[in-house]
Amino acid sequence: MILKNGVLVTLDPQHVERSELRIEGDRIVERGPALTSGPGEEVLDLAGALVLPGLVNAHTHLYSALARGMPGPTDPPRGFVEILEKVWWRLDRALDEESVHLSGLVGAIEAARSGTTTVFDHHASPSCVRGSLDMLRRATEEVGIRSVLCYETTDRNGLEGRDAGVAENRAFLAAGPTALTRGMVGAHASFTLSDESLDRLAGTVREAGSSLHVHVAEDRADVEDCRGRCGAGVVERLRLHGLLGPGTMLVHGVHLTAAELREAQDAGAWLVHCPRSNMNNAVGQAPTTAFRRAALGTDGLDQDMLAEARVAFLKMREAGRADASAAALAMVVVGHRLAGAFFGLPLGRLDAGSPADLVVLDYRPLTPLTAANVAGHVLFGLDRSHVRSTMVAGRFVVRDRAVTTVDEAAVFARARAAAERLWDRMQQL
Ligand SMILES: [Zn+2]
């Protein structure tokens, strides 16, 4: 297939060029101003639409996809830990196989419709742990997006629950990667994990040659708990248990010190910044000036990375940063590097040899769009309503605003019915 008359926009380095792409299999095989089509080759005229590399959501919870609009707790939560206890830990306990599968489908559809081609998911469903990651794999692959999956191990459902979480991570990793899916080792957070639990997770990380994906210092409560347990900070606790190293994903980091952030990033860990979630949970302003290897995550709010990037930018402006637009764009780029590291692919590029993961946007700039002002257009102009088509590994998942891989209306109808039952079960807990 040839994509012609597109305006190709890449972010690292920032570049804007009217050019054409030849896609074969899962790759871009040629890029040039006037490609000649071969026999039987489809030529798709993009008529001046923008083409961007597919976006990466570095931290999400697909399991919360059916939570949109659900009734809030009767007794309003006071603070972060009560938000978990009264909302999210009741929701995840109420999930069954059907709701996990449907969450995966609607979350993946929403990702594709937002131009997000890869999601890093942090899954919890304590009432159906075993096989849950494979259920999510089937759902995301059915829709056709890439994912990196793990199970959020925690002590809060007893030792049996914890062991089931570790076993689920281990089993999923042992089954091996597929073309679109990778595994890693998931952990909820330091404050819900004993030393023994961390050691078990470290054993799994070592055996599988994997790395940990964990919430870190999201709220002050995690930091205070850690001081109480071991007299150290969360980064040090993870390091002491052999859980800090290349590929470790530390999510939020709102209450990490500059020294902790330096240590973690020097060790090869990735940070994930979730500014909208931080605002929603009122956990504080993340110390982004010390974030060097930080990608963006939606933390399950939706799968919309253009919205997350805009809020990341605005929060940094609010904090007085003059370099906020460059910093926000850099976080989008780190998302590509992060996903590229997990898939062993040069994601984030639109060159010959790159994976054909891209998004086509109906965006008609009302001011000049050049390499010098890409950030301005991405942060102030683009939003997911511009997404016309999304391609993952050479296959259109969304084409001309229609999902091509699953019957979207039927999936949403099933999801609405399942959500109603899920919300009912939550009331019983
Ligand atoms: Zn999270």
Side-chain angles (χ1 to χ4, degrees):
M1 170 183 285
I2 291 179
L3 304 181
K4 62 181 270 189
N5 286 327
V7 177
L8 310 187
V9 178
T10 45
L11 307 179
D12 181 32
Q14 288 169 31
H15 189 77
V16 177
E17 186 185 29
R18 195 172 267 271
S19 192
E20 303 188 351
L21 296 175
R22 188 190 308 274
I23 316 283
E24 261 177 40
D26 61 355
R27 300 283 173 141
I28 296 167
V29 294
E30 197 178 357
R31 170 178 174 146
L35 303 181
T36 324
S37 60
E41 199 168 30
E42 186 185 355
V43 178
L44 185 63
D45 188 348
L46 299 180
L50 296 197
V51 180
L52 254 75
L55 300 162
V56 175
N57 188 354
H59 178 76
T60 191
H61 301 279
L62 291 168
Y63 73 74
S64 68
L66 302 185
R68 187 167 300 162
M70 75 184 176
T74 40
D75 191 11
R78 288 162 304 170
F80 173 72
V81 176
E82 283 199 5
I83 293 174
L84 295 180
E85 289 167 351
K86 291 182 175 175
V87 181
W88 301 111
W89 293 350
R90 285 176 67 210
L91 172 78
D92 69 15
R93 276 200 306 276
L95 289 165
D96 59 8
E97 289 192 9
E98 183 197 33
S99 43
V100 169
H101 182 66
L102 284 166
S103 301
L105 287 176
V106 297
I109 290 170
E110 195 169 33
R113 282 203 172 279
S114 306
T116 299
T117 49
T118 303
V119 299
F120 284 75
D121 191 61
H122 205 232
H123 177 66
S125 54
S127 307
C128 61
V129 180
R130 197 168 159 191
S132 57
L133 295 181
D134 202 53
M135 259 181 266
L136 284 179
R137 179 190 64 73
R138 281 187 279 118
T140 51
E141 290 185 355
E142 196 177 333
V143 174
I145 64 163
R146 294 184 196 272
S147 66
V148 180
L149 306 176
C150 66
Y151 191 88
E152 205 181 284
T153 307
T154 176
D155 291 351
R156 69 186 157 88
N157 303 301
L159 290 185
E160 213 175 301
R162 177 209 54 194
D163 292 346
V166 174
E168 181 60 11
N169 283 303
R170 183 178 290 151
F172 190 70
L173 283 161
T178 66
L180 292 181
T181 311
R182 298 288 182 272
M184 62 189 304
V185 178
H188 172 250
S190 169
F191 74 98
T192 69
L193 288 159
S194 69
D195 288 340
E196 190 199 332
S197 302
L198 290 180
D199 289 337
R200 285 184 186 227
L201 288 162
T204 309
V205 163
R206 264 197 314 277
E207 280 164 32
S210 184
S211 55
L212 192 74
H213 183 167
V214 61
H215 297 119
V216 168
E218 178 174 4
D219 186 75
R220 227 175 265 291
D222 193 25
V223 176
E224 284 161 11
D225 172 90
C226 195
R227 291 253 166 249
R229 278 177 200 261
C230 65
V234 183
V235 168
E236 188 177 348
R237 185 168 185 233
L238 292 175
R239 177 172 57 75
L240 292 171
H241 286 273
L243 285 166
L244 184 71
T248 306
M249 290 180 65
L250 306 178
V251 184
H252 297 289
V254 175
H255 298 279
L256 292 181
T257 64
E260 288 177 306
L261 287 164
R262 198 176 318 113
E263 179 186 353
Q265 292 171 107
D266 286 351
W270 304 87
L271 291 162
V272 185
H273 181 40
C274 307
R276 291 184 302 161
S277 168
N278 293 342
M279 292 163 79
N280 186 41
N281 290 328
V283 290
Q285 176 90 253
T288 53
T289 43
F291 284 12
R292 283 182 280 115
R293 287 164 56 83
L296 291 169
T298 63
D299 206 13
L301 267 71
D302 53 29
Q303 308 298 331
D304 184 350
M305 302 318 296
L306 293 170
E308 200 66 48
R310 182 175 295 183
V311 171
F313 162 72
L314 292 171
K315 288 298 287 179
M316 289 189 279
R317 287 294 306 134
E318 187 186 35
R321 285 186 66 172
D323 62 344
S325 65
L329 218 60
M331 289 176 182
V332 177
V333 168
V334 172
H336 288 132
R337 283 171 47 209
L338 166 70
F342 275 81
F343 282 91
L345 292 169
L347 291 163
R349 311 187 60 87
L350 296 172
D351 299 323
S354 315
D357 285 30
L358 52 87
V359 51
V360 178
L361 298 126
D362 284 318
Y363 177 71
R364 310 291 156 178
L366 51 88
T367 56
L369 166 62
T370 67
N373 70 7
V374 166
H377 283 276
V378 170
L379 299 171
F380 288 104
L382 291 182
D383 68 57
R384 69 172 159 181
S385 74
H386 296 117
V387 173
R388 183 203 296 175
S389 303
T390 300
M391 178 181 275
V392 186
R395 177 195 194 197
F396 274 120
V397 173
V398 176
R399 183 167 177 167
D400 294 331
R401 299 189 178 267
V403 176
T404 63
T405 48
V406 295
D407 181 344
E408 182 183 40
V411 169
F412 283 11
R414 282 167 62 205
R416 282 191 295 273
E420 214 169 330
R421 291 193 290 274
L422 174 68
W423 299 352
D424 280 346
R425 286 197 298 279
M426 281 180 73
Q427 305 309 318
Q428 321 299 322
L429 292 170

Short mmCIF file of all heavy atoms in Angstrom, two decimals, residues 59 61 122 215 252 299, ligand 1:
data_model
loop_
_atom_site.label_atom_id
_atom_site.label_comp_id
_atom_site.label_asym_id
_atom_site.label_seq_id
_atom_site.Cartn_x
_atom_site.Cartn_y
_atom_site.Cartn_z
N HIS A 59 1.14 4.14 30.87
CA HIS A 59 0.54 3.55 32.08
C HIS A 59 -0.96 3.72 32.02
O HIS A 59 -1.48 4.84 32.06
CB HIS A 59 1.09 4.22 33.35
CG HIS A 59 0.48 3.69 34.61
ND1 HIS A 59 0.83 2.46 35.16
CD2 HIS A 59 -0.46 4.19 35.45
CE1 HIS A 59 0.13 2.25 36.26
NE2 HIS A 59 -0.67 3.29 36.46
N HIS A 61 -4.93 1.52 33.04
CA HIS A 61 -5.63 0.40 33.67
C HIS A 61 -6.85 0.14 32.79
O HIS A 61 -7.89 0.78 32.96
CB HIS A 61 -6.08 0.74 35.09
CG HIS A 61 -4.97 1.13 36.01
ND1 HIS A 61 -4.17 0.19 36.65
CD2 HIS A 61 -4.50 2.34 36.41
CE1 HIS A 61 -3.27 0.82 37.40
NE2 HIS A 61 -3.44 2.12 37.27
N HIS A 122 -1.67 -2.06 33.50
CA HIS A 122 -1.39 -2.49 34.87
C HIS A 122 -2.73 -3.04 35.35
O HIS A 122 -3.63 -2.28 35.69
CB HIS A 122 -0.98 -1.22 35.63
CG HIS A 122 -0.12 -1.42 36.81
ND1 HIS A 122 -0.44 -0.88 38.03
CD2 HIS A 122 1.06 -2.07 36.96
CE1 HIS A 122 0.53 -1.18 38.89
NE2 HIS A 122 1.44 -1.89 38.28
N HIS A 215 3.47 1.52 40.87
CA HIS A 215 3.17 2.88 41.32
C HIS A 215 4.16 3.28 42.41
O HIS A 215 4.37 2.51 43.35
CB HIS A 215 1.77 2.95 41.95
CG HIS A 215 0.64 2.63 41.02
ND1 HIS A 215 -0.22 1.59 41.23
CD2 HIS A 215 0.21 3.24 39.89
CE1 HIS A 215 -1.16 1.58 40.28
NE2 HIS A 215 -0.90 2.56 39.44
N HIS A 252 4.12 7.74 38.45
CA HIS A 252 3.77 8.92 39.24
C HIS A 252 5.00 9.63 39.80
O HIS A 252 5.35 10.69 39.34
CB HIS A 252 2.76 8.62 40.37
CG HIS A 252 1.45 8.14 39.87
ND1 HIS A 252 0.57 8.97 39.22
CD2 HIS A 252 0.88 6.90 39.89
CE1 HIS A 252 -0.51 8.26 38.87
NE2 HIS A 252 -0.35 7.01 39.25
N ASP A 299 -3.21 6.64 33.26
CA ASP A 299 -3.65 5.99 34.50
C ASP A 299 -5.11 5.51 34.41
O ASP A 299 -5.81 5.47 35.42
CB ASP A 299 -3.46 6.94 35.69
CG ASP A 299 -3.27 6.19 37.02
OD1 ASP A 299 -3.03 4.96 36.99
OD2 ASP A 299 -3.35 6.84 38.08
ZN ZN B 1 -2.11 3.47 37.97
#
